[in-house]
Amino acid sequence: MSYQVGLDLGSAGATVATGGGVTTSGRRQQAPAREVATLLDDLARRHGEPPSRVAMTHPLCWPHEHLEQLRQDLIDAGRADVLFVPAPHAAAIAFDADARMPEHSTVVVFDFGATGCDITVLRKQGVLLLAGQPERVEIGGFALDGLVTEHVIAKIGTHSRELVRSCVEAKELLGSYPEVRIPYLATNGEMREVRLSRLEFESVIRPSVELAVDALERVVASAGLEKPDVVLLVGGSSRIPLVAREIAERLRIPVLRAPDGAAATGAYLEAVQLEPAPDEQPTAEVPLPRKEEEPQRRLPTTAFIAAGLIVLVLGGGWFAHDAMNEPQMKKMENTSVQLEPPGVAELPSFIGPER
């Protein structure tokens, strides 16, 4: 059975979307064309056949020459049927599939990823068209990791690879917890911990986030808009609560977080839409043999019978009228969920080197 695939090769991971859902794995150290071929080979082994249509996202800033070279590399790898979809368009396509945006509405895709922040305004006019001048800010999740690590090292006066990994994990946890305790090995060999609060974390990264939001305001202005209809947050760094809060305070418009794998999902939807419909074989129906029916005796229609039929018709219509106008009662279910208050996350300790 044929199936379609959407691919999104991000800096931190590769996301694959099919009719069965979305999966993300770490990036292999391969050229993009080779990695696409490897991913498709994995899918062919899993499904028993290669996909019938493949769509792959790419940064909007990639030049035409880069795409043509990638296309040639894919052809050389035996993957000539790959369709290219700009990443912001793919994310907006997935959003529109659920939200059903009205015609002429605008969406800003704010893609805050690992290596940078790409900002694009799209207007729906039958299809999603580029509006204004897109912009990329060279500030991403990796840069924020470095800021947090430098801040913690300045507080404790020591450095190690384990500490760097713990700082990165602490940044991820501070999106859900108000404080994180980071264990580290002091210079005297003693195991200690340093506390990092969300307020402290936000004060460290705020200047970088403000630079990205400054670029967002420029892109919106270039599209000739006072306010777009919605800002769609994409990318791992957009999970930081400060990002959505800063955008909402500046632009005063709704800010929505896209589900993980939104770009791959949008590429998959494009692959499905462009998949040609299977040819239907014409079928002919053979009529069943007619059965000889005995002639039915018809009752003579008298004035009394006709009057009775009229009463039945009018009475049934009135009953149906009453039933349609009767207020319908719906049984409502309580779907609220009570969450436990967040506590303090503690990262696992590591064992120091033996002395």
Side-chain angles (χ1 to χ4, degrees), residues 54-137:
V54 179
M56 173 184 169
T57 67
H58 66 86
L60 191 63
C61 61
W62 275 10
H64 177 72
E65 296 77 11
H66 193 142
L67 289 175
E68 286 304 310
Q69 182 60 54
L70 179 56
R71 188 185 306 277
Q72 186 59 51
D73 293 341
L74 290 169
I75 291 173
D76 295 341
R79 311 294 173 181
D81 57 345
V82 175
L83 168 73
F84 291 131
V85 183
H89 289 72
I93 288 168
F95 172 70
D96 185 41
D98 290 331
R100 301 296 180 188
M101 295 166 51
E103 283 294 301
H104 308 294
S105 58
T106 53
V107 55
V108 180
V109 179
F110 189 88
D111 189 351
F112 202 0
T115 59
C117 183
D118 294 289
I119 305 164
T120 311
V121 177
L122 298 170
R123 179 180 284 110
K124 184 176 180 181
Q125 292 179 325
V127 294
L128 291 163
L129 300 177
L130 186 65
Q133 182 63 41
E135 189 169 336
R136 176 177 173 84
V137 182

Side-chain angles (χ1 to χ4, degrees), residues 95 107-110 213 216 228-234 238-258:
F95 172 70
V107 55
V108 180
V109 179
F110 189 88
V213 180
L216 168 62
D229 295 301
V230 65
V231 174
L232 185 65
L233 299 181
V234 182
S238 66
R239 297 190 189 97
I240 299 171
L242 176 64
V243 175
R245 194 165 66 246
E246 188 72 17
I247 294 173
E249 289 175 358
R250 292 259 207 112
L251 275 69
R252 301 293 179 183
I253 60 172
V255 180
L256 301 177
R257 170 87 175 97

Side-chain angles (χ1 to χ4, degrees), residues 11-67:
S11 301
T15 305
V16 179
T18 64
V22 177
T23 58
T24 301
S25 59
R27 286 290 305 271
R28 301 176 174 95
Q29 297 301 320
Q30 300 180 21
R34 186 62 227 157
E35 182 161 6
V36 170
T38 302
L39 290 170
L40 296 181
D41 288 342
D42 292 343
L43 287 168
R45 284 192 293 269
R46 192 181 315 158
H47 292 271
E49 61 177 341
S52 57
R53 176 75 68 174
V54 179
M56 173 184 169
T57 67
H58 66 86
L60 191 63
C61 61
W62 275 10
H64 177 72
E65 296 77 11
H66 193 142
L67 289 175

